[in-house]
Amino acid sequence: MSEAHFLPFIAACAVDSNGQMHRGIATYRLLTGVPPADADIAIDSNLDRHVLASILAAATMDGGSLPEKAGLSGLELAALLEQYFPSLEIKLVEQVSAFKCEEDDEIAMLRDLLLKQRSTEGDIGRWLAAMIARRAIGPDHLWEALGLRNRGELSRLLSRHFAPLAARNVNNMRWKRFFYRMLCENEGLVMCTTPVCKQCDDFNLCFGEESGESRMAERRRDVLPQAARPVLAGVWPSELPQGSAIAPSSEKASPDLISRTGG
């Protein structure tokens, strides 16, 4: 099931008063009513909605099937939208009921690790475990893959919904690297040969800075000047660049499990 067939309203609503918006920002704004830069996450319920909207927005930027990119089944996604974004008033059950995510061993391992460390009740912890696990297999830092604005939002999310696991990251290791270290330890595997991290040549891969510009902020910055040029010529662009225009990460993922740990 293609993204276009799954949520046709996204494309239809991806226009604001100034013209066409990038689909990721448009999706977030459609879900929350504000652009991602203006999200107020002072209270936990607002943080939850912000995180869910950010993940869905980032998933739309990748193209393809939205449920698959988000890590949920079609029915799970429909339930999420109904529970957290009811103002959309969109009936999706018939559209998504046939969609089921293909099980991937690596995704399942990380999802199960997160599920065992849940610290909140309700569906959201289960949904977030699946969504985080699916988004973690990409090459970006995890906070970027989730569409968040910075690493601090990811740390707060994990401390809220997966507190026992988050509390074990006492040295502030990169979250994706930390997850896979936990998986390796659970399987009795040795991830590192250096007994002390500070003696390791790859220290920055585990503990290096994870700053940078969020994916949606970067795309808005890049896209708006492109949209402005035809306006000056008196012609408005009919379509903005899609997912292929997203600048690739400097960290490339390889198929093996250990290679996923860079972000």
Side-chain angles (χ1 to χ4, degrees):
M1 181 181 297
S2 69
E3 178 189 62
H5 288 96
F6 180 74
L7 289 179
F9 62 92
I10 287 181
C13 296
V15 179
D16 67 3
S17 60
N18 295 318
Q20 296 228 1
M21 290 177 62
H22 178 64
R23 67 164 65 185
I25 299 170
T27 300
Y28 185 97
R29 191 165 187 171
L30 177 68
L31 293 170
T32 67
V34 298
D38 295 340
D40 181 357
I41 58 172
I43 62 176
D44 287 339
S45 59
N46 286 351
L47 172 68
D48 291 345
R49 293 184 79 250
H50 167 67
V51 168
L52 293 172
S54 296
I55 297 174
L56 294 179
T60 64
M61 293 169 70
D62 290 347
S65 166
L66 180 55
E68 190 280 324
K69 297 296 183 181
L72 300 174
S73 70
L75 288 176
E76 287 174 325
L77 181 51
L80 183 157
L81 291 170
E82 183 177 359
Q83 183 171 334
Y84 282 91
F85 308 101
S87 62
L88 291 179
E89 297 182 354
I90 299 206
K91 305 300 182 182
L92 295 173
V93 175
E94 292 183 2
Q95 297 182 48
V96 303
S97 59
F99 183 87
K100 295 182 179 180
C101 288
E102 294 293 330
E103 188 76 345
D104 179 281
D105 289 342
E106 185 178 334
I107 295 174
M109 289 172 63
L110 180 50
R111 180 199 63 212
D112 292 346
L113 172 69
L114 291 165
L115 286 174
K116 291 176 182 177
Q117 303 289 324
R118 288 178 59 184
S119 52
T120 52
E121 301 294 331
D123 292 325
I124 187 170
R126 178 170 52 84
W127 291 334
L128 283 172
M131 297 169 91
I132 291 170
R134 170 59 183 85
R135 302 300 297 173
I137 66 173
D140 296 324
H141 294 310
L142 184 55
W143 67 269
E144 294 175 318
L146 296 175
L148 301 177
R149 295 176 293 188
N150 52 62
R151 186 180 189 269
E153 292 184 346
L154 173 58
S155 296
R156 182 179 164 193
L157 157 69
L158 296 172
S159 295
R160 168 165 162 74
H161 290 286
F162 308 98
L165 184 63
R168 296 174 66 182
N169 190 7
V170 294
N171 294 317
N172 202 31
M173 180 180 285
R174 291 184 181 186
W175 284 112
K176 198 189 299 188
R177 189 86 173 175
F178 173 74
F179 289 159
Y180 284 97
R181 178 182 284 258
M182 294 298 100
L183 288 175
C184 287
E185 289 183 0
N186 290 345
E187 296 296 321
L189 303 175
V190 178
M191 184 173 176
C192 302
T193 58
T194 306
V196 181
C197 285
K198 291 183 179 179
Q199 298 176 1
C200 180
D201 292 335
D202 292 328
F203 181 86
N204 285 336
L205 290 177
C206 294
F207 299 96
E209 187 180 5
E210 289 188 88
S211 62
E213 190 174 32
S214 68
R215 292 182 68 193
M216 283 185 281
E218 177 186 0
R219 291 306 303 133
R220 183 172 179 83
R221 173 176 54 76
D222 291 344
V223 166
L224 290 183
Q226 297 175 27
R229 286 194 293 269
V231 173
L232 295 175
V235 179
W236 192 259
S238 60
E239 183 174 316
L240 293 181
Q242 302 301 328
S244 61
I246 297 172
S249 168
S250 59
E251 295 186 70
K252 300 298 183 181
S254 59
D256 60 279
L257 182 147
I258 301 300
S259 71
R260 306 294 191 189
T261 62

